[in-house]
Amino acid sequence: MNTSITTPSAAGGASRAAEAATNVRVWDLPTRIFHWSFALCFAGAWLTSDSERLRDLHVMLGYTFAGLAVFRVLWGLVGTRYARFASFVFPPRELVSYLKSLLAMKPRHYLGHNPAGAVAIFAMLGLGALIALSGFATYQDIGGEWLEELHEGAASTMLAIVLVHIAGVVVSSLLHRENLVRAMFTGNKPGAPAQGIRHAHRVVGTALLVAVLGFWWAYQSGAAEAWLPQPSATADAQDRHHDDD
């Protein structure tokens, strides 16, 4: 008769493996809604940036982009564990250590944002603020050509960071054998039950989505004109000149 005996150490290892294989909630709904809405607005604004015909769409996406950035800053202060800035502010030495482990193809695993991802987030939020402010000033014909060039330069820099960020997500997904893109849709990642967040904040996430869609409806229907700054007369004249050309 064959008898299998499980040692305490083996049992402990099996228990830890089972815990690690459990899917836990990491990303709350507001964070996920922000992430995909922010990406969509930036991509849409980038694609419409050179089109006079789609200028209104570009401006609408720019306003949304700015509003989302403000929301993320607030949620970074009061949101759930992995959404708060305090959870992914790393000292420079930890960033260097992580990059070295990444180059060695053995990166340290983080349930939330890793140090490289954290740098990308702060950079995109900072550049997002610069893009929004310079874009608004250009829309109001404030600052002249240099401000328009600043707007375009900041957008180009952000595009480069976005591409590096996407590459980092792909590499991390392959090395850790976890789908980080899917996790940003579902909110779940493999981890110990005690590491997960307890609340998805569906009400806040739904309110954010409704606010974005509601603003788009108000802008397209003309209802937003009563409470949004309108372009200056000079800017309007320049637009008519471009249209005539």
Side-chain angles (χ1 to χ4, degrees):
M1 181 176 66
N2 292 329
T3 304
S4 61
I5 300 175
T6 304
T7 63
S9 60
S15 175
R16 286 191 295 272
E19 286 186 349
T22 301
N23 275 332
V24 298
R25 183 184 294 124
V26 175
W27 306 122
D28 56 54
L29 187 59
T31 299
R32 287 177 277 151
I33 294 294
F34 160 80
H35 180 275
W36 295 114
S37 299
F38 197 68
L40 176 64
C41 287
F42 177 73
W46 176 269
L47 292 173
T48 58
S49 59
D50 292 329
S51 172
E52 290 297 334
R53 183 172 59 86
L54 298 176
R55 182 171 180 268
D56 282 346
L57 178 59
H58 179 79
V59 173
M60 182 190 77
L61 292 173
Y63 275 124
T64 312
F65 181 81
L68 287 167
V70 171
F71 169 81
R72 187 62 184 91
V73 170
L74 295 175
W75 197 243
L77 300 175
V78 302
T80 52
R81 177 179 177 182
Y82 300 104
R84 289 196 300 268
F85 297 138
S87 71
F88 54 93
V89 174
F90 300 99
R93 64 178 180 278
E94 190 163 354
L95 172 61
V96 173
S97 177
Y98 177 78
L99 293 176
K100 287 181 178 179
S101 70
L102 191 63
L103 291 174
M105 306 296 284
K106 295 180 180 179
R108 179 180 174 183
H109 184 263
Y110 292 80
L111 192 59
H113 295 296
N114 61 54
V119 170
I121 291 169
F122 288 123
M124 284 188 283
L125 285 176
L127 283 169
L130 183 59
I131 291 169
L133 291 173
S134 59
F136 178 78
T138 300
Y139 182 57
Q140 294 296 324
D141 195 33
I142 300 172
E145 187 176 347
W146 73 270
L147 203 53
E148 184 176 355
E149 292 178 354
L150 175 64
H151 180 68
E152 294 174 355
S156 297
T157 303
M158 184 159 176
L159 178 63
I161 293 175
V162 167
L163 294 176
V164 172
H165 176 63
I166 292 173
V169 167
V170 172
V171 171
S172 295
S173 294
L174 292 174
L175 293 180
H176 292 302
R177 296 182 180 180
E178 63 176 349
N179 193 325
L180 297 180
V181 175
R182 183 175 61 193
M184 193 51 75
F185 277 108
T186 65
N188 300 325
K189 294 179 69 176
Q195 294 179 306
I197 60 175
R198 290 190 295 176
H199 303 292
H201 289 284
R202 292 183 178 87
V203 173
V204 178
T206 302
L208 176 61
L209 181 59
V210 169
V212 169
L213 296 178
F215 173 71
W216 287 354
W217 172 85
Y219 194 92
Q220 291 299 320
S221 67
E225 291 181 1
W227 42 275
L228 281 179
Q230 298 304 306
S232 65
T234 304
D236 277 340
Q238 289 177 346
D239 289 339
R240 287 193 294 271
H241 176 70
H242 287 308
D243 290 339
D244 291 340
D245 292 343

